[in-house]
Amino acid sequence: MGATGQLAAGGGLHFSLPQQLTVILLCALTAFISHMALAVFNDGVRPFLLDFVQERTTRSATTAVSFGLSAGFIFGLGAPMALSSGVLNPWLLFLPTDVLGLLAPRKWLAPLLGAGWGAVVVFGLNGANEVAHDLPVDFLTAMQQMSTPILFLFTLFPVLAIAKQFGRAWGAAAGAVELALVVMTMKLWPEMFAGALAMAVGVLLLIGLAVRRDLTQRRADREAAGDAADGSAPPAPGAASREAADDPMASLFSASATRLRRYLPLFMVLGAGVCLLAQMHIFGGGEATSFLIAKGHYAEAAQVDFYRVFGFVPLIATTALASGAYGIAGFTLVYPIGYLMPNPVLAVIAGAAVFAAEVLALSSIGKVLGKLPSVRDSSEYLRNAITDSLHLAILFGSLMAANAMGAGLGILVVGGLYLLNEAMGRPVVRMAAAPAAVLVGGILLNLLHWLDLFTPVKG
């Protein structure tokens, strides 16, 4: 797939009436669900909701935590990514509704605030996009330079995860295989995203290595247990069940799963809405996915977001069982399913069915993860690898955007703002700092142009 494909931002952020209504109603629903502490999008906020549900902390304190953990991603990543790609994303839609839902003191106010934010997005974003494109220094077009490093460096996240979990030898082997597959894909299937096949093989290799390690360890444990059992008395009848009953975590997990199942119809509506939004192809679930959707590569976008699921299932399942609050996008499986659905009706049905299955299976998933520690650990390595690869890709892409809009001066301003953020202890989270620096740098370069101190780069 060529990296120079026209992005949706080039034509503006125009939404049809059904698309506008879907975004507004979905934002209203997610704010309502957040108000009830049933689900939030921010994984970092979810563990704090247990104290809120059990009334050990206040709504205002929980709102402050949510805003503090979300603001940088909303304004530093969500808004810049939407403006540069022309595709909506979960940081722009669902992090604000997390905050607004928790902020609302009354149940009826939460959906109104959420709908208001949805209206701001669908009606205000295009205006901001048009104003930015009319400026002498068009920093939004320059930000499209971010697409190439994000798409290609993201391909390496399975390699990083394998190297960290299973050592340098396996990491080097995975890297060589992925490089060969990328070259082969570019040569034989130029219309296909070059990293698609490489990511598939890398993720399968990681899962295979983790399962092999777990099976080997379980076999060794059984042999050790068999040796220890020789000559010893058998356990008392019912001992295992009494231990499980006395386990406070097992009791908490059971109560949380029961609480979520009680609201199963509401979660099914949520799953239907998120899947429908993905089916409309105005929404991407991740950084790389947003640019793939913008280029019209829906199958590749589905593949990318499907691989991300493996990194987030254990995190979302365990935090949901511990806190009694689910994820707004569930295990995010509704993203790839939505991209591939041929019509909205099927998307609604599929989204509702997927969320129902996820909520009902939470307890079973928690038990399975407890028996496969290496697979559970792989998800953490995957998440960290995704963060590392995207951090480098976004930083490099932001510097490319800075060069496109201001050459050396642009690099100085954007790179300087990023380094200043690092020196000040990262008041803006690292992942969002570079895109935020591009926006601030673009505004500054326009001011310098109006003061006749800077001539925009042509072309």
Side-chain angles (χ1 to χ4, degrees):
M1 179 194 66
T4 58
Q6 183 67 31
L7 298 182
L13 285 150
H14 300 287
F15 303 104
S16 66
L17 180 59
Q19 291 169 344
Q20 292 171 349
L21 291 175
T22 299
V23 171
I24 291 171
L25 291 175
L26 184 58
C27 285
L29 176 62
T30 54
F32 177 72
I33 290 175
S34 171
H35 173 85
M36 297 180 68
L38 287 173
V40 289
F41 181 77
N42 195 321
D43 295 320
V45 174
R46 200 171 302 118
F48 291 93
L49 291 184
L50 179 63
D51 285 341
F52 175 67
V53 170
Q54 297 182 348
E55 299 182 350
R56 293 198 297 264
T57 188
T58 64
R59 180 173 294 278
S60 59
T62 309
T63 303
V65 170
S66 180
F67 180 80
L69 293 175
S70 302
F73 287 102
I74 297 169
F75 302 108
L77 187 62
M81 287 295 296
L83 289 169
S84 59
S85 68
V87 175
L88 302 178
N89 58 69
W91 305 286
L92 182 65
L93 292 183
F94 302 145
L95 288 181
T97 57
D98 280 0
V99 178
L100 292 172
L102 290 170
L103 175 67
R106 296 288 182 269
K107 189 178 293 187
W108 59 267
L109 183 59
L112 292 180
L113 293 176
W117 176 252
V120 168
V121 170
V122 295
F123 296 117
L125 208 59
N126 188 56
N129 183 70
E130 291 177 351
V131 169
H133 281 305
D134 289 337
L135 293 173
V137 180
D138 185 356
F139 52 86
L140 293 187
T141 298
M143 287 185 73
Q144 294 179 10
Q145 298 285 331
M146 296 171 61
S147 65
T148 300
I150 286 177
L151 289 173
F152 281 87
L153 287 176
F154 183 76
T155 302
L156 293 174
F157 78 87
V159 175
L160 302 183
I162 290 170
K164 290 182 178 181
Q165 186 173 10
F166 298 102
R168 289 176 290 182
W170 276 113
V177 170
E178 282 211 5
L179 177 60
L181 290 173
V182 168
V183 173
M184 183 181 73
T185 304
M186 296 177 73
K187 183 70 174 177
L188 299 180
W189 307 290
E191 296 303 315
M192 179 180 175
F193 170 45
L197 184 59
M199 279 190 288
V201 172
V203 171
L204 289 174
L205 179 59
L206 174 66
I207 295 173
L209 290 170
V211 170
R212 188 188 70 164
R213 174 179 286 183
D214 280 334
L215 292 178
T216 301
Q217 184 61 47
R218 289 183 67 182
R219 186 164 53 249
D221 291 343
R222 283 197 301 267
E223 293 173 355
D227 293 340
D230 293 340
S232 62
S241 60
R242 285 197 302 272
E243 289 177 6
D246 293 337
D247 183 359
M249 289 306 295
S251 177
L252 174 62
F253 280 16
S254 177
S256 297
T258 301
R259 177 177 188 259
L260 295 175
R261 286 197 296 268
R262 192 181 310 133
Y263 293 94
L264 185 61
L266 188 59
F267 282 115
M268 292 175 69
V269 175
L270 175 62
V274 176
C275 197
L276 175 61
L277 183 66
Q279 191 276 333
M280 290 178 166
H281 299 150
I282 60 170
F283 173 88
E287 299 88 346
T289 315
S290 294
F291 288 110
L292 287 170
I293 292 291
K295 293 171 183 286
H297 294 269
Y298 307 132
E300 287 89 342
Q303 185 180 352
V304 168
D305 272 354
F306 178 72
Y307 300 145
R308 291 172 69 107
V309 171
F310 294 104
F312 288 91
V313 166
L315 171 68
I316 294 170
T318 53
T319 55
L321 289 170
S323 66
Y326 200 40
I328 287 294
F331 294 147
T332 70
L333 193 57
V334 288
Y335 293 163
I337 291 174
Y339 304 148
L340 298 177
M341 285 292 104
N343 61 67
V345 175
L346 288 178
V348 167
I349 295 172
V354 168
F355 256 54
E358 289 180 4
V359 172
L360 293 174
L362 269 177
S363 295
S364 300
I365 292 172
K367 293 175 182 177
V368 170
L369 291 173
K371 298 177 181 178
L372 297 173
S374 294
V375 174
R376 187 176 64 245
D377 292 344
S378 291
S379 71
E380 184 174 349
Y381 285 108
L382 272 177
R383 291 196 309 277
N384 292 336
I386 288 171
T387 300
D388 291 343
S389 59
L390 285 175
H391 170 242
L392 176 61
I394 290 173
L395 175 59
F396 187 68
S398 297
L399 292 175
M400 290 174 63
N403 183 66
M405 68 183 184
L409 181 60
I411 293 176
L412 173 66
V413 171
V414 173
L417 288 172
Y418 177 85
L419 292 174
L420 181 62
N421 184 70
E422 291 285 307
M424 294 172 63
R426 298 178 194 151
V428 178
V429 290
R430 175 177 276 181
M431 187 75 76
V438 175
L439 291 182
V440 174
I443 294 171
L444 180 59
L445 290 176
N446 277 292
L447 291 174
L448 292 175
H449 170 71
W450 287 325
L451 293 172
D452 201 24
L453 297 174
F454 170 72
T455 301
V457 175
K458 300 298 181 183

